[in-house]
Amino acid sequence: MGYPGMPPGFWVELIKILSVAILLVGVIPAVFRYRMGASKKKWFSYNHINEFHKKVDWTLRIVFMISLIISTILINSQPFITYTIFGVFVLTQIGVQAYIEWRFSDNRKDFQVSLIQLTLTFITLLGFVFWLEYFS
């Protein structure tokens, strides 16, 4: 007979997954940015290159919020759709940033680091999906 709550070992696995995610999404791109000579980015701030980037970024955020609200109201029985919307939003936002940096930035190394960050974020999200399937 199963017990309610988290399965045994859940919290240890969660700490491992979060540590790897922080390493892949936060630390490795910062090291690449430093090594390649790309522009330094501030944490938790808007890194808009120009007004076009600002408008596209805010449009993406508004579309994301609307789709998140709609998916929560209409399809509340399947939380995986919410995770998928969140993942697509994050990857789209980093992809748009890489494109804008490639097109408009003075430092050509910026978009290369953003592509590395996009790849590592995709790997992290894919690992998170597999981890969710494992504990489901």
Side-chain angles (χ1 to χ4, degrees), residues 103-134:
R103 190 89 165 112
F104 299 109
S105 181
D106 296 334
N107 191 351
R108 300 298 291 172
K109 303 291 182 181
D110 288 343
F111 90 93
Q112 294 171 350
V113 175
S114 291
L115 288 178
I116 291 169
Q117 185 178 5
L118 179 67
T119 305
L120 292 174
T121 303
F122 178 73
I123 291 169
T124 303
L125 290 173
L126 199 60
F128 183 69
V129 167
F130 286 133
W131 180 72
L132 280 176
E133 290 296 318
Y134 175 74

Side-chain angles (χ1 to χ4, degrees), residues 33 37-42 47 107 110:
R33 195 168 292 285
S39 302
K40 198 172 187 179
K41 300 286 182 181
K42 295 179 185 176
N47 298 313
N107 191 351
D110 288 343

